[in-house]
């Protein structure tokens, strides 16, 4: 599941479409794995409701032998680092004001910051697929999933939100594959390098909204997909 941007109605709709929740918003996916590729927050009013929903589903899935995985998006990292340019007034109000929202997002003392820090990583590898919010470039992929997750966690804990892993070519910001920088052949070559480095057959990202088509973008013989189809109300 791609970017949700604080739209609870669309979040519930897509989770029901995927058959992982029932009409009461409880886990119904059994032993399935649900991966959400970040950007739950910003641009809408339902931040608290969606994070709490995923926290509940994570626990229910675990009890059923399933798994719920959340990956950091650039908007999670922005909010943790105090970059609030996309926060709506409705979002602030839902927390009880700007100060209470700031307190909630603190990774060491805030209820939501601690929840996110305890459960999110910057990448996730499952069998032959690797997930990230933005595009994984070969230079980062060669470090390996565990190292990338460690680097991100260390940077967040130490309030280093300008660390290289959070910059433009890193796993939360890059759109190099999605926009086919350098052309299709060069893009597929980079994707093959990532696949080889991580021992996978497919890369899945969010971040680059496909709101004009409303469809998943797939290139390089289905070895790379963008699953942000612009489902939030923000995109119309």
């Amino acid at each position: 599941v791609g970017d949700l941007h604080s739209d609870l109605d669309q979040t519930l709709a897509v989770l029901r479409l995927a058959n992982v929740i029932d009409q009461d918003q409880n886990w119904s996916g059994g032993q399935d794995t649900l991966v959400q590729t970040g950007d739950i927050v910003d641009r809408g009013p339902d931040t608290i409701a969606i994070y709490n929903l995923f926290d509940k589903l994570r626990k229910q899935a675990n009890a059923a032998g399933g798994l719920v995985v959340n990956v950091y998006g650039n908007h999670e990292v922005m909010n943790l680092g105090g970059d609030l340019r996309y926060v709506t007034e409705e979002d602030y109000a839902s927390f009880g004001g700007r100060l209470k929202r700031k307190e909630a997002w603190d990774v060491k003392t805030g209820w939501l910051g601690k929840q996110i820090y305890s459960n999110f990583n910057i990448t996730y590898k499952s069998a032959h697929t690797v997930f990230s919010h933005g595009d994984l470039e070969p230079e980062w992929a060669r470090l390996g999933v565990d190292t990338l997750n460690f680097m991100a966690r260390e940077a967040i804990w130490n309030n280093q939100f300008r660390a290289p892993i959070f910059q433009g070519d890193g796993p939360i910001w890059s759109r190099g594959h999605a926009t086919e920088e350098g052309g299709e052949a060069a893009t597929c070559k980079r994707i093959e390098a990532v696949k080889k480095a991580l021992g996978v057959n497919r890369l899945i990202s969010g971040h680059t909204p496909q709101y004009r088509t409303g469809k998943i973008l797939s290139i390089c013989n289905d070895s790379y997909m963008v699953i942000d189809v612009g489902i939030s109300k923000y995109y119309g």
Side-chain angles (χ1 to χ4, degrees), residues 54-83:
F54 273 93
D55 194 51
K56 178 183 76 171
L57 295 177
R58 187 180 301 112
K59 295 168 184 173
Q60 292 177 340
N62 184 62
L67 186 65
V68 171
V69 176
N70 289 102
V71 174
Y72 279 114
N74 58 302
H75 284 267
E76 272 81 29
V77 175
M78 289 166 69
N79 275 263
L80 291 171
D83 184 343

Side-chain angles (χ1 to χ4, degrees), residues 158-176:
N158 292 304
N159 202 33
Q160 296 172 343
F161 292 98
R162 295 186 180 273
I165 198 167
F166 297 143
Q167 297 307 303
D169 68 341
I172 63 169
W173 281 105
S174 176
R175 289 191 167 103

Side-chain angles (χ1 to χ4, degrees), residues 1-4 7-30 32-37 40 49-58 60-61 67-70 227 229 231:
V1 174
D3 305 34
L4 299 171
D7 187 334
L8 179 62
D9 289 343
Q10 289 290 68
T11 298
L12 295 174
V14 74
L15 294 179
R16 287 177 181 136
L17 183 65
N19 292 318
V20 294
I21 65 168
D22 60 23
Q23 292 303 308
D24 296 319
Q25 304 176 19
N26 291 311
W27 178 256
S28 63
D32 288 347
T33 296
L34 166 65
V35 181
Q36 197 281 322
T37 56
I40 287 174
I50 301 176
Y51 280 117
N52 281 343
L53 173 65
F54 273 93
D55 194 51
K56 178 183 76 171
L57 295 177
R58 187 180 301 112
Q60 292 177 340
L67 186 65
V68 171
V69 176
N70 289 102
I227 61 171
V229 294
I231 65 171

Side-chain angles (χ1 to χ4, degrees), residues 141-156:
R142 292 185 188 108
L143 297 176
V145 167
D146 290 342
T147 297
L148 292 175
N149 288 337
F150 176 80
M151 290 172 67
R153 290 177 61 79
E154 284 289 291
I156 291 170

Side-chain angles (χ1 to χ4, degrees), residues 73-124:
N74 58 302
H75 284 267
E76 272 81 29
V77 175
M78 289 166 69
N79 275 263
L80 291 171
D83 184 343
L84 309 178
R85 73 185 94 165
Y86 297 106
V87 180
T88 65
E89 290 302 321
E90 294 91 345
D91 187 312
Y92 283 122
S94 71
F95 283 87
R98 293 175 183 247
L99 178 59
K100 289 185 178 180
R101 189 184 192 280
K102 180 180 179 181
E103 292 171 346
W105 275 87
D106 190 294
V107 297
K108 297 178 180 177
T109 60
W111 70 266
L112 183 53
K114 290 193 292 185
Q115 180 193 115
I116 292 171
Y117 186 78
S118 297
N119 294 292
F120 283 53
N121 276 307
I122 202 166
T123 55
Y124 173 71

Side-chain angles (χ1 to χ4, degrees), residues 36-51:
Q36 197 281 322
T37 56
D39 279 10
I40 287 174
V41 67
D42 284 344
R43 307 188 192 276
D46 301 324
T47 296
I48 291 175
I50 301 176
Y51 280 117

Side-chain angles (χ1 to χ4, degrees), residues 10 70 99 125 129 134-135 141 177 230:
Q10 289 290 68
N70 289 102
L99 178 59
K125 179 180 175 182
T129 302
D135 292 339
H177 304 333

